[in-house]
């Protein structure tokens, strides 16, 4: 298995622009998680899905952030409009029932 | 509430043992995990321990759990340069594979040649 796939690996954008991060979970996994990692706040859970349904989005910072999972093999995290304080590494992770989470390599986002 | 704490940095000479410590606050934690993050990569599960265990050993890794003090440690024997990474402890509640993990801040392990 290729593991969790994230794209792009790096993104540089200007403040105010829309940013879309993508994730392909491991085939057969029914949970998908989005995390954000910064030096100041460490690793934060933003949202997670079970069977494509959002279960807990309490970690989503504000309305500028949205996440979707249209099918079992694809999810997006969108930031609109982006701000410099959104600069971070965004990780996607997936897991099956009674398994631990497998992380993707992350997307490093820089908002100028 | 859930809170997991770790020291931020640890430096160890190559060949020595590394001990990374973690404290957690939620006594209902059922599983505790250690993840490793190498530069530019995601988190990789190293090992885990169930809360009714005191110790778990896996090759060079030894996990010790003191449930009374809510203290978890990871010992890496014969530390090598490839062990340089950030190590995160994490707790889950209500069972293995529970949906939400709470992560510590991570400990950056540096190996001194």
């Amino acid at each position: 298995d290729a593991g969790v796939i994230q794209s792009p690996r790096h993104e540089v954008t200007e403040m105010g622009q829309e940013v879309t991060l993508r994730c392909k979970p491991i085939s057969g996994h029914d949970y998908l998680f989005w995390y954000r990692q910064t030096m100041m706040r460490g690793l934060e859970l933003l949202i997670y899905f079970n069977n494509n349904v959002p279960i807990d989005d309490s970690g989503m910072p504000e309305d500028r952030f949205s996440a979707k999972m249209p099918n079992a093999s694809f999810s997006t995290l969108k930031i609109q409009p982006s701000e410099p304080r959104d600069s971070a590494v965004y990780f996607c992770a997936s897991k099956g029932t009674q398994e631990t989470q497998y992380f993707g390599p992350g997307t490093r986002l820089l908002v100028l | 509430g859930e809170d997991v704490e770790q020291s931020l940095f640890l430096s160890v000479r190559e060949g020595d043992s590394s001990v990374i410590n973690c404290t957690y606050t939620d006594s209902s934690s059922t599983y505790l995990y250690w993840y490793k993050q190498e530069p530019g990569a995601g988190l990789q599960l190293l090992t885990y321990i169930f809360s009714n265990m005191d110790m778990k050993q896996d090759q060079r890794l030894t996990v010790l759990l003191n449930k009374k003090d809510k203290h978890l440690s990871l010992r890496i024997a014969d530390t090598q340069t490839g062990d340089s990474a950030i190590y995160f402890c994490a707790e889950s509640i209500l069972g293995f594979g529970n949906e939400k993990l709470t992560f510590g801040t991570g400990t950056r392990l540096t190996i001194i040649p």
Side-chain angles (χ1 to χ4, degrees), chain A residues 55-90:
Chain A
I55 303 301
D56 184 347
D57 65 354
S58 59
M60 294 287 263
E62 47 199 274
D63 292 345
R64 297 185 298 106
F65 285 69
S66 62
K68 293 182 180 179
M69 192 165 185
N71 58 63
S73 59
F74 183 65
S75 177
T76 59
L77 177 68
K78 188 174 292 187
I79 309 172
Q80 166 64 19
S82 58
E83 296 182 3
R85 60 193 169 118
D86 301 330
S87 298
V89 183
Y90 290 82

Side-chain angles (χ1 to χ4, degrees), chain A residues 9 31 33 35 37 39 42-43 45 48 56 58 91 95 98-101 103-105 108, chain B residues 33 35 37 40-45 86 88 95-101 103-105 108:
Chain A
R9 292 294 311 276
Y31 287 89
F33 306 79
Y35 291 89
Q37 185 180 37
M39 288 292 292
L43 195 64
L45 176 65
Y48 78 90
D56 184 347
S58 59
F91 288 104
K95 80 173 192 75
Q98 297 302 309
E99 291 186 27
T100 189
Q101 298 179 26
F103 282 74
R108 189 173 297 272
Chain B
Y33 302 85
Y35 281 83
Q37 184 181 28
L43 277 69
Q44 178 182 22
L45 178 67
I86 302 175
F88 292 88
F96 182 68
N98 182 47
E99 294 88 333
K100 291 178 70 168
L101 298 178
F103 286 88
T105 53
R108 183 180 296 272

Side-chain angles (χ1 to χ4, degrees), chain B residues 31-83:
Chain B
Y31 282 91
L32 295 129
Y33 302 85
W34 283 104
Y35 281 83
K36 177 183 181 182
Q37 184 181 28
E38 296 181 349
L43 277 69
Q44 178 182 22
L45 178 67
L46 275 182
T47 187
Y48 64 91
I49 188 167
F50 186 49
S51 60
N52 69 352
M53 297 169 64
D54 298 324
M55 185 181 86
K56 181 178 180 180
Q57 188 152 3
D58 183 2
Q59 298 181 336
R60 292 192 297 122
L61 305 178
T62 304
V63 179
L64 295 178
L65 176 61
N66 182 329
K67 198 172 181 182
K68 173 176 169 292
D69 294 337
K70 299 190 185 71
H71 182 265
L72 181 75
S73 68
L74 173 70
R75 179 176 179 270
I76 306 172
D78 186 24
T79 309
Q80 304 297 309
T81 54
D83 296 324

Side-chain angles (χ1 to χ4, degrees), chain B residues 5-13 15-23 34 46 60-65 71-80 83 85 87-89 106-111:
Chain B
E5 294 188 355
Q6 302 175 238
S7 54
L8 292 179
F9 303 99
L10 176 66
S11 295
V12 174
R13 289 201 177 278
D16 288 352
S17 292
S18 305
V19 180
I20 304 170
N21 295 301
C22 171
T23 58
W34 283 104
L46 275 182
R60 292 192 297 122
L61 305 178
T62 304
V63 179
L64 295 178
L65 176 61
H71 182 265
L72 181 75
S73 68
L74 173 70
R75 179 176 179 270
I76 306 172
D78 186 24
T79 309
Q80 304 297 309
D83 296 324
Y87 291 81
F88 292 88
C89 68
T107 299
R108 183 180 296 272
L109 176 63
T110 301
I111 312 306

